[in-house]
Amino acid sequence: MNREWEILQIPGPTPIPPSVERAMVQPMIGHRGQKCKQLVEDIAPRLKPVFGTTGDVLVLSSSGTSALEAAVVNTTSPGDEVVVVVAGAFGDRFAKICHTYELTVHRIDVEWGRAVDVAAIEEQIQAHPEVKAVFLTHCETSTGVMHPIEEAAERVHALSEALVIVDGVSSIGGASVDMDGSGIDLLVSGSQKAMMLPAGLAFVAVSDQAWKVIHDNPRPRFYLDLRSYKKSVDNGQTPFTPALSLLFGLQEALRLMEDEGLENVHERHRVMKEMTRAAFRALNVPLLVSEEDASSTVTSVRPQTFEAEQFRKIANQEFGLMTAGGQQHMKGEIFRVGHMGYSRPANVLQYISIIEIVLKRLGHDFEQGAGTAAAQEAYLQATRELD
């Protein structure tokens, strides 16, 4: 299959808008010169609405996992007690990072495919009053679950002084988060998902309360020391060599989101979710996640009449359609469809039509065209609601 024909519908990395690609190949500039200073000063305030905050949003030249690690190393010290919600591969990654940094971890293990019950977090806080931080994942990319992070943050702060730290890697840019209003203390993300960029940038939004903890924390840190990033961004700089091409792309990606309007961006993602889920229901293909818990950026499918990996293989070989498989114990049991970032309802209609052909190849029983019709009706219903 010619790579130029690939249809990338995985939950990251995601397709890059042409204008962002063009921005990233503009001539290089000095990273300590005036042009770079102007670039950093232009980007910094424009990131804040995307994260739902008026506070600092720091940019690291690294992967999203580095932002998770930065959140841990800057706010905790060895022996501190923390609560980690684990409902998938990336909640488990948060827990592993916490163990690596010698924290006492109280896990809340949630069945994969379900959102955490906030009452379970309350119970852990009450059972362990010395907890310093609660770690949550907004969109669990491995399952397509959206956790109630705003409700959780409000309850944690009502019961304790613990920080609320959230992995928003596969949600920021595709889902609304009221960081300030709900009391989230650190909200981290990466560039390669709904932010419409290649991998290589990480983002950390920090509350005033979190800054107090960070400044008082005696733990040594260097590249991931958020104090260095704060000091530098206030002066229009970065503490270390920035990924300038990605910053050029970020500037353009922010312009695209601003032109569309953030509310419209979030609504577009909601509509694509509804279209995708309606189509699979009409095709008699089970979904992993309930309507209440479903993510707006990735949909997980748990087939029963055909093999998930065989579906992915045929879709890719015949049409260049790339979907993602399951992770850890769900490998081979599910496949995941990403619909985030530079993706439109037209893309949904395209991949649903392809999916129908692949299902016919696999002998799955359904009325041909039912998925496409359901996706069309979901789109029409959504647009009628907006009229």
Side-chain angles (χ1 to χ4, degrees), residues 165-224:
I165 300 174
V166 175
D167 169 358
V169 171
S170 63
S171 62
I172 296 301
S176 175
V177 179
D178 184 5
M179 177 176 171
D180 289 352
S182 61
I184 295 169
D185 292 293
L186 278 88
L187 178 58
V188 307
S189 193
S191 55
Q192 76 277 17
K193 297 184 184 284
M195 294 298 288
M196 303 185 293
L197 291 161
L201 294 181
F203 309 99
V204 185
V206 187
S207 74
D208 290 341
Q209 179 60 32
W211 276 126
K212 294 176 184 177
V213 173
I214 290 168
H215 285 297
D216 291 340
N217 184 13
R219 186 199 288 273
R221 59 265 201 199
F222 187 73
Y223 188 78
L224 297 179

Side-chain angles (χ1 to χ4, degrees), residues 68-334:
L68 305 182
E69 187 161 343
V72 173
V73 74
N74 279 272
T75 60
T76 63
S77 295
D80 283 351
E81 294 186 63
V82 297
V83 171
V84 184
V85 175
V86 180
F90 294 95
D92 186 55
R93 180 172 297 183
F94 241 156
K96 288 176 179 176
I97 294 170
C98 289
H99 279 298
T100 298
Y101 282 97
E102 301 178 319
L103 304 181
T104 300
V105 178
H106 304 292
R107 288 174 61 116
I108 300 176
D109 285 293
V110 182
E111 180 183 350
W112 286 37
R114 294 183 180 274
V116 67
D117 185 343
V118 174
I121 300 175
E122 294 177 342
E123 290 173 5
Q124 286 290 336
I125 292 291
Q126 291 166 341
H128 306 285
E130 298 302 315
V131 160
K132 301 294 185 181
V134 176
F135 293 88
L136 296 133
T137 308
H138 189 199
C139 173
E140 176 51 70
T141 318
S142 65
T143 63
V145 165
M146 198 77 88
H147 291 283
I149 56 168
E150 293 174 345
E151 179 187 357
E154 291 168 356
R155 293 305 303 146
V156 168
H157 286 309
L159 294 170
S160 74
E161 297 296 319
L163 297 180
V164 176
I165 300 174
V166 175
D167 169 358
V169 171
S170 63
S171 62
I172 296 301
S176 175
V177 179
D178 184 5
M179 177 176 171
D180 289 352
S182 61
I184 295 169
D185 292 293
L186 278 88
L187 178 58
V188 307
S189 193
S191 55
Q192 76 277 17
K193 297 184 184 284
M195 294 298 288
M196 303 185 293
L197 291 161
L201 294 181
F203 309 99
V204 185
V206 187
S207 74
D208 290 341
Q209 179 60 32
W211 276 126
K212 294 176 184 177
V213 173
I214 290 168
H215 285 297
D216 291 340
N217 184 13
R219 186 199 288 273
R221 59 265 201 199
F222 187 73
Y223 188 78
L224 297 179
D225 189 343
L226 296 182
R227 296 170 299 185
S228 298
Y229 289 87
K230 166 65 172 168
K231 181 178 179 180
S232 293
V233 78
D234 286 346
N235 293 312
Q237 294 287 337
T238 58
F240 309 104
T241 305
L244 280 168
S245 295
L246 290 174
L247 292 184
F248 288 142
L250 175 58
Q251 185 180 45
E252 174 61 15
L254 291 170
R255 185 193 68 79
L256 292 176
M257 285 190 274
E258 290 163 358
D259 285 353
E260 185 176 357
L262 275 177
E263 289 186 5
N264 295 329
V265 171
H266 299 152
E267 176 62 17
R268 169 167 54 82
H269 283 80
R270 186 193 69 81
V271 171
M272 291 190 293
K273 173 192 78 170
E274 296 297 339
M275 292 173 68
T276 302
R277 292 178 64 83
F280 279 112
R281 288 195 300 268
L283 295 171
N284 301 316
V285 180
L287 296 163
L288 177 66
V289 181
S290 70
E291 291 298 310
E292 182 182 10
D293 297 343
S295 165
S296 58
T297 58
V298 54
T299 295
S300 290
V301 182
R302 193 173 200 171
Q304 296 178 348
T305 63
F306 58 89
E307 297 293 329
E309 290 306 299
Q310 184 67 7
F311 166 86
R312 295 182 60 231
K313 180 179 179 181
I314 295 173
N316 183 242
Q317 289 182 343
E318 191 163 348
F319 294 100
L321 175 61
M322 294 189 67
T323 57
Q327 295 180 295
Q328 295 186 19
H329 69 277
M330 283 197 159
K331 187 174 183 179
E333 292 188 20
I334 66 171

